Amino acid sequence: MFKKSKYQRNILNQLSPVQLLLLFYGIAVVFSTILLSLPIAHKPDVSIPFIDIMFTAVSAISVTGLSTITIVDSFSTTGIIFLAIIMQLGAVGIMAIGTLIWLVLGKRIGFKERSMIMTDQNQTHFDGMVRLIKGIIYVLLIIELIGFLILGTYFLQYFPTAKEAYLQGFFGTISAISNGGFDITGQSLILFKDDYFVQFINILLIIFGAIGFPVLIELKEYLFRKRTEKNLFHFSLFTKVTTFTFFVLIVIGALGIYLLDMNAFFKDLTWHESLFYAFFQSVTTRSGGLATMDVSLLTETNQLFMSGLMFIGASPSSAGGGIRTTTFALAIIFVFTYIRGGNSVRIFNREVYNEDLIKAVSITLFAITLVIFSTLILTAIEPFSLEEIIFEVTSAFGTVGLSLGITSELSNISKVLIMLLMFIGRIGIVTFLLIFKRKKKKAKYHFPKERIIIG
Amino acid sequence: MFKKSKYQRNILNQLSPVQLLLLFYGIAVVFSTILLSLPIAHKPDVSIPFIDIMFTAVSAISVTGLSTITIVDSFSTTGIIFLAIIMQLGAVGIMAIGTLIWLVLGKRIGFKERSMIMTDQNQTHFDGMVRLIKGIIYVLLIIELIGFLILGTYFLQYFPTAKEAYLQGFFGTISAISNGGFDITGQSLILFKDDYFVQFINILLIIFGAIGFPVLIELKEYLFRKRTEKNLFHFSLFTKVTTFTFFVLIVIGALGIYLLDMNAFFKDLTWHESLFYAFFQSVTTRSGGLATMDVSLLTETNQLFMSGLMFIGASPSSAGGGIRTTTFALAIIFVFTYIRGGNSVRIFNREVYNEDLIKAVSITLFAITLVIFSTLILTAIEPFSLEEIIFEVTSAFGTVGLSLGITSELSNISKVLIMLLMFIGRIGIVTFLLIFKRKKKKAKYHFPKERIIIG
Ligand SMILES: [K+]
Ligand SMILES: [K+]
């Protein structure tokens, strides 16, 4: 590339990581909107309203996949490649900056804790971390290349020309691994509802994107160790909690989706059809957004259940959104520990910092408030049913991208609200609130304490 | 009455306050169900299914007011008087035992804190507290007598016979002050939608019942002081927080209800009609349950807004339900303090105990989970819309008793679920969870602490 001038480097150094993220997001949205507005990006004779181009750009940058237009009918091959690049940028850019924010915040909490984090991340210093992030991006690109080759070649049986098959393979791979959730088939993965191979590859790619950078980094560390040193390696508490929660959610999700539609959607299906439908739709609520069925066919209760799953979302520092798996796990554990009279929280033989628990419940409550208020606003201005609105709102906040079909019919105000939710869901409540954070003033004196009756 | 035998006294002493409450609740439900099953309690030729009698009993004991039958069409005058007695018992009994639980729990937290509570309650010892509770009950009875005389006499213009007018006055007073929410007009207070005097008296009675025992006790203390000592009196932090929240919720509630229906229900009404409709319906969500209008006429958004208000409910140790005003206030303050990077919470120049904050957010999250799961279950087995179900569930949990009209059409399973919600809402999440609390085992050792990335 080019060498940064001293001036540029100073400017960037002066920005806080959060400002850096906002700058990145802002530039990315403007850049993507312009890119997708170019005539070369559109199908001939198709004109797309500005709000919809911007909506598509924000949805792609925040790798949500909600769309007010049908991609394949609106964009040319060039436009589709642009969209893939934007998703890739949105997934990796925010993920990398997010990881940096966390590292920088980690620095603030004092030398002792920082060295503890670094140790737990099996890292000794910051530079090593940056090197590792680069490493992961290389791995990502290699996996994408493999995915592209496998899916593209496999798709030759599905599509008339090799060009179309490989374009589908290229776009599909990036859409899955970035958790972008867009499709150029015109109907997500419904085309492959009986093709368990395609579904399996997609599940792997989605999980890779949603499981979180730190987990991937530790996994890479572990795998590249010499065999003799492998049993000396300790996975961090974070990795254990997030991975455990991630897979528990997938299993409970699949089970719930099946049970809630046992006598409806799944009634006349074979066991393997039911298994794959339930399993894929559960995985996709972690934030993938691709689907092998029309989710509006499920029962109302099931749609609400899926809304809950989408609200939780993916793991921290991943390509996903929502309150995050760790936040959910800590909030649950917190409530059940304190409610039963405990006063410290232990998971996997480690005691959890009070500060982290407080953060987790604050985020959860804040996110619930956000979702409730957004839902209220949408019920006031849109004619859709409450289920449809809750589904749309949680899908945007979880950057999932599933919809019961109302996205394209939303009014402009609602589109802006959904864009905002995708943005907040993508950067995460913690980062979002850092925008408004005032400099910490150390309280000089304490007021007398006084108890309050609760409940 | 009669002197308790030594044996009886021992049994009662051995019960924990929570067991005492459960015993009271259980006996009260059985006793009320039997009472309301007596033929003398019914109108001639009316036969009420057992589940509906039990539902009415539970609804009256938990002073909710949801009803699967029309009271005035089903019960005789005797039955109506029974019902009034049951509401009175439910309001005062649980309130008094609740206050005792809190005092006993207060004892557990060590001498220093206890003496602080006692001081803040302007009380020096337990016996004095019991004496004060008795005092409040006397005041309650006197206010009820006054309410009965005023309303009964005033009602002479509304009802054909003096007997009916005074029966309406008697039942109406008890229903309002106990926050029972039942009516024997057949249509709540819609009859008095233009009679601001009746509405005003009802508002006063409802607030008296919902503002909480401890507040009333402090108020009584303050009022009975010599004039010269009045400025030496300090209201406790609890009283300040709960009273402030209580009235802020009423104002915000009235404002919200008005604004959300400005162009619909309130469109063609005069300013004073709008004011009273909005104000009364806001007050009633604190947990009164009486209404001067059919709330199903409001917009869907307004119904959801009211559901939120009902979920919050009344003040602790009152005749109301929900998560309670203090819990709501602390949860809000907690989230906004920690989210902005603060590390201690101050209200009214007092620092709040961490333990109380943790309790407040735990309760809130637990209650949200409870409401969500109940809603999911009802959507799965009932044909009603999501708004109707959310409204019914929060109304039961807040022991409010408003309904969009689905109560009588619920299936038996749903009726049982609603009964359970009324029970939990009435005794409060804290007390409810004490039922399952294990004896605290002091952890002998601590596990090493480890940080977790949140969000
Ligand atoms: K997505
Ligand atoms: K009530």
Side-chain angles (χ1 to χ4, degrees):
Chain A
M1 310 291 274
F2 58 91
K3 202 165 177 282
K4 283 193 191 110
S5 75
K6 203 173 175 186
Y7 177 72
Q8 274 175 307
R9 228 184 294 142
N10 282 350
I11 280 276
L12 284 179
N13 279 345
Q14 274 167 22
L15 290 176
S16 76
V18 179
Q19 288 170 323
L20 190 67
L21 186 75
L22 285 179
L23 188 69
F24 168 80
Y25 205 94
I27 291 175
V29 166
V30 172
F31 168 78
S32 313
T33 308
I34 291 172
L35 217 53
L36 295 177
S37 298
L38 297 176
I40 195 183
H42 300 178
K43 283 231 155 133
D45 300 324
V46 169
S47 109
I48 313 171
F50 176 75
I51 183 85
D52 294 314
I53 292 182
M54 193 171 160
F55 192 94
T56 309
V58 171
S59 184
I61 285 289
S62 58
V63 286
T64 303
L66 284 173
S67 186
T68 54
I69 51 174
T70 310
I71 300 303
V72 71
D73 296 340
S74 314
F75 290 111
S76 65
T77 303
T78 313
I80 285 170
I81 292 173
F82 284 169
L83 194 62
I85 293 171
I86 296 169
M87 282 194 286
Q88 179 89 311
L89 195 75
V92 176
I94 295 176
M95 194 150 66
I97 300 178
T99 308
L100 282 176
I101 287 182
W102 168 67
L103 281 171
V104 173
L105 284 186
K107 276 210 278 190
R108 277 217 209 117
I109 53 172
F111 179 71
K112 210 171 164 190
E113 283 91 347
R114 174 173 39 141
S115 62
M116 207 180 287
I117 295 175
M118 293 303 189
T119 316
D120 287 330
Q121 289 293 326
N122 301 294
Q123 287 311 308
T124 40
H125 48 70
F126 194 81
D127 287 344
M129 199 71 188
V130 172
R131 211 185 53 230
L132 264 179
I133 291 179
K134 279 189 196 162
I136 288 290
I137 292 177
Y138 289 138
V139 175
L140 183 83
L141 289 175
I142 290 168
I143 293 182
E144 282 182 346
L145 185 66
I146 297 171
F148 160 63
L149 290 174
I150 293 178
L151 283 184
T153 312
Y154 188 82
F155 281 167
L156 288 171
Q157 59 181 300
Y158 278 98
F159 299 97
T161 65
K163 187 197 154 200
E164 196 179 340
Y166 282 102
L167 183 66
Q168 289 280 356
F170 167 75
F171 191 89
T173 301
I174 291 187
S175 182
I177 205 169
S178 72
N179 277 236
F182 281 97
D183 67 86
I184 54 167
T185 62
Q187 46 169 346
S188 203
L189 298 184
I190 294 179
L191 191 59
F192 311 110
K193 65 187 172 58
D194 299 318
D195 193 327
Y196 300 150
F197 176 73
V198 173
Q199 293 186 34
F200 183 69
I201 297 286
N202 268 285
I203 287 174
L204 285 185
L205 292 173
I206 290 173
I207 291 180
F208 189 87
I211 196 105
F213 244 49
V215 174
L216 295 177
I217 288 171
E218 282 190 35
L219 204 63
K220 179 165 174 285
E221 274 288 280
Y222 176 74
L223 293 174
F224 281 56
R225 283 225 171 171
K226 288 192 202 102
R227 190 174 303 234
T228 48
E229 286 174 15
K230 275 219 197 320
N231 36 6
L232 288 174
F233 188 89
H234 290 287
F235 284 102
S236 70
L237 179 59
F238 166 76
T239 290
K240 286 179 196 157
V241 172
T242 189
T243 312
F244 181 76
T245 313
F246 193 92
F247 288 105
V248 164
L249 280 173
I250 287 180
V251 172
I252 291 178
L255 217 68
I257 289 171
Y258 175 74
L259 290 175
L260 290 173
D261 254 282
M262 204 167 48
N263 298 317
F265 181 79
F266 295 112
K267 202 176 176 188
D268 298 318
L269 299 182
T270 64
W271 68 267
H272 51 88
E273 283 172 328
S274 296
L275 179 74
F276 266 85
Y277 274 125
F279 192 61
F280 194 94
Q281 264 56 238
S282 174
V283 168
T284 210
T285 59
R286 283 288 59 64
S287 110
L290 294 165
T292 59
M293 60 174 288
D294 179 357
V295 286
S296 68
L297 297 176
L298 296 171
T299 59
E300 189 194 327
T301 311
N302 218 343
Q303 290 161 1
L304 291 173
F305 176 66
M306 288 180 77
S307 300
L309 292 174
M310 296 195 290
F311 174 77
I312 299 168
S315 293
S317 303
S318 72
I323 58 168
R324 314 296 197 241
T325 50
T326 37
T327 307
F328 175 70
L330 287 196
I332 292 273
I333 293 168
F334 174 89
V335 169
F336 281 92
T337 303
Y338 286 102
I339 248 160
R340 288 163 67 200
N343 45 24
S344 66
V345 170
R346 294 188 294 267
I347 348 177
F348 295 115
N349 291 341
R350 284 283 184 284
E351 196 171 320
V352 181
Y353 276 77
N354 237 344
E355 210 180 297
D356 292 334
L357 289 168
I358 285 172
K359 223 190 234 172
V361 289
S362 300
I363 289 168
T364 308
L365 279 177
F366 185 88
I368 290 171
T369 311
L370 182 72
V371 164
I372 290 177
F373 271 89
S374 308
T375 303
L376 280 181
I377 293 172
L378 287 184
T379 60
I381 55 181
E382 297 292 342
F384 309 113
S385 79
L386 188 52
E387 302 87 85
E388 290 170 320
I389 288 171
I390 290 176
F391 198 88
E392 194 81 6
V393 165
T394 50
S395 176
F397 175 70
T399 71
V400 175
L402 296 175
S403 173
L404 296 177
I406 66 172
T407 321
S408 59
E409 293 168 63
L410 292 173
S411 64
N412 284 353
I413 294 181
S414 303
K415 283 179 189 169
V416 172
L417 180 62
I418 295 289
M419 282 192 244
L420 199 66
L421 283 171
M422 294 192 286
F423 166 68
I424 298 173
R426 181 66 186 103
I427 67 168
I429 299 268
V430 174
T431 312
F432 173 67
L433 290 166
L434 284 176
I435 302 171
F436 309 103
K437 190 169 177 172
R438 296 183 306 183
K439 277 242 157 127
K440 215 182 227 170
K441 267 190 285 179
K442 197 102 183 176
K444 279 202 181 123
Y445 52 93
H446 281 273
F447 286 102
K449 284 196 175 187
E450 186 171 338
R451 296 206 66 98
I452 288 183
I453 319 173
I454 305 295
Chain B
M1 310 295 272
F2 58 90
K3 203 169 177 283
K4 284 193 190 107
S5 77
K6 204 173 175 183
Y7 177 72
Q8 274 175 305
R9 228 183 294 142
N10 282 350
I11 282 278
L12 285 178
N13 279 344
Q14 275 167 20
L15 290 175
S16 75
V18 179
Q19 288 170 323
L20 190 68
L21 186 76
L22 285 178
L23 188 70
F24 168 81
Y25 205 95
I27 291 175
V29 167
V30 171
F31 169 78
S32 312
T33 308
I34 292 173
L35 216 54
L36 295 177
S37 298
L38 296 176
I40 196 182
H42 301 176
K43 282 229 155 138
D45 300 324
V46 170
S47 107
I48 314 170
F50 175 75
I51 183 87
D52 294 314
I53 292 181
M54 195 171 159
F55 192 96
T56 310
V58 171
S59 184
I61 286 289
S62 58
V63 288
T64 303
L66 284 173
S67 186
T68 54
I69 51 175
T70 311
I71 301 302
V72 70
D73 296 340
S74 314
F75 291 111
S76 64
T77 305
T78 313
I80 286 169
I81 292 173
F82 284 168
L83 194 62
I85 294 170
I86 296 168
M87 281 194 286
Q88 179 87 312
L89 197 72
V92 176
I94 295 176
M95 196 150 65
I97 299 178
T99 308
L100 282 176
I101 287 182
W102 169 65
L103 280 170
V104 173
L105 283 187
K107 276 210 277 193
R108 276 216 208 116
I109 51 172
F111 180 72
K112 213 173 164 187
E113 283 91 347
R114 175 175 38 141
S115 64
M116 209 180 287
I117 295 174
M118 294 302 189
T119 315
D120 288 330
Q121 289 292 328
N122 301 294
Q123 287 311 308
T124 38
H125 48 68
F126 195 80
D127 287 344
M129 199 72 186
V130 171
R131 209 186 54 230
L132 263 179
I133 291 178
K134 278 188 197 164
I136 288 290
I137 293 177
Y138 289 138
V139 175
L140 183 83
L141 290 174
I142 290 166
I143 292 181
E144 282 182 345
L145 186 66
I146 297 170
F148 160 63
L149 290 174
I150 292 178
L151 284 183
T153 309
Y154 188 82
F155 282 166
L156 287 171
Q157 58 181 300
Y158 278 98
F159 299 97
T161 66
K163 187 198 153 199
E164 197 179 340
Y166 281 102
L167 183 65
Q168 291 278 357
F170 166 77
F171 191 88
T173 301
I174 291 186
S175 183
I177 204 168
S178 72
N179 277 236
F182 281 98
D183 67 85
I184 54 167
T185 61
Q187 47 169 344
S188 202
L189 298 184
I190 295 179
L191 192 58
F192 311 110
K193 66 187 170 57
D194 299 318
D195 192 327
Y196 301 150
F197 176 73
V198 173
Q199 293 185 34
F200 183 69
I201 298 286
N202 268 284
I203 287 174
L204 285 185
L205 293 172
I206 290 173
I207 291 179
F208 189 88
I211 196 103
F213 244 50
V215 174
L216 295 177
I217 289 171
E218 281 190 37
L219 205 64
K220 181 167 174 283
E221 273 288 281
Y222 175 74
L223 293 173
F224 281 54
R225 283 224 171 172
K226 290 192 202 102
R227 187 174 304 233
T228 49
E229 288 174 12
K230 276 218 196 322
N231 35 6
L232 288 173
F233 187 90
H234 291 286
F235 283 102
S236 69
L237 179 59
F238 166 77
T239 289
K240 287 179 195 157
V241 172
T242 188
T243 312
F244 181 76
T245 314
F246 193 92
F247 288 106
V248 164
L249 281 173
I250 288 180
V251 172
I252 291 179
L255 219 67
I257 290 171
Y258 175 73
L259 291 175
L260 290 172
D261 254 282
M262 206 164 50
N263 298 317
F265 181 79
F266 294 112
K267 202 175 176 190
D268 298 318
L269 299 182
T270 64
W271 68 266
H272 51 88
E273 282 173 328
S274 296
L275 180 75
F276 266 86
Y277 273 125
F279 192 60
F280 194 94
Q281 264 56 238
S282 174
V283 168
T284 210
T285 58
R286 282 288 59 64
S287 110
L290 294 164
T292 59
M293 61 174 289
D294 179 359
V295 286
S296 69
L297 297 176
L298 296 171
T299 59
E300 190 192 326
T301 311
N302 219 342
Q303 290 161 2
L304 291 172
F305 177 65
M306 287 179 77
S307 300
L309 292 174
M310 295 195 290
F311 174 76
I312 299 168
S315 293
S317 304
S318 72
I323 57 168
R324 314 295 197 242
T325 50
T326 36
T327 307
F328 175 70
L330 287 196
I332 292 273
I333 294 168
F334 173 89
V335 170
F336 281 91
T337 303
Y338 286 103
I339 250 162
R340 288 164 68 200
N343 45 22
S344 66
V345 171
R346 293 188 294 267
I347 347 177
F348 295 115
N349 290 341
R350 285 283 184 285
E351 196 171 320
V352 181
Y353 275 76
N354 237 344
E355 209 180 298
D356 292 334
L357 289 169
I358 285 172
K359 223 190 236 174
V361 288
S362 302
I363 289 168
T364 308
L365 279 177
F366 186 88
I368 290 171
T369 312
L370 182 72
V371 164
I372 289 177
F373 271 88
S374 308
T375 302
L376 279 180
I377 294 173
L378 287 185
T379 59
I381 56 181
E382 298 291 341
F384 309 113
S385 79
L386 188 51
E387 302 87 87
E388 289 171 322
I389 288 171
I390 291 176
F391 198 89
E392 194 81 7
V393 165
T394 49
S395 176
F397 175 70
T399 71
V400 174
L402 296 175
S403 173
L404 296 177
I406 67 171
T407 321
S408 60
E409 292 167 64
L410 293 172
S411 65
N412 284 352
I413 294 181
S414 302
K415 282 178 188 168
V416 172
L417 179 62
I418 295 290
M419 282 191 245
L420 200 65
L421 283 171
M422 294 193 285
F423 165 69
I424 298 173
R426 181 65 186 103
I427 67 169
I429 300 268
V430 175
T431 312
F432 173 67
L433 290 166
L434 283 176
I435 301 172
F436 308 105
K437 189 169 177 173
R438 294 181 307 182
K439 277 244 159 126
K440 215 183 229 168
K441 265 191 285 179
K442 198 98 182 178
K444 279 199 181 129
Y445 53 94
H446 281 273
F447 286 102
K449 284 195 176 189
E450 186 172 338
R451 298 206 64 100
I452 288 181
I453 320 173
I454 305 295

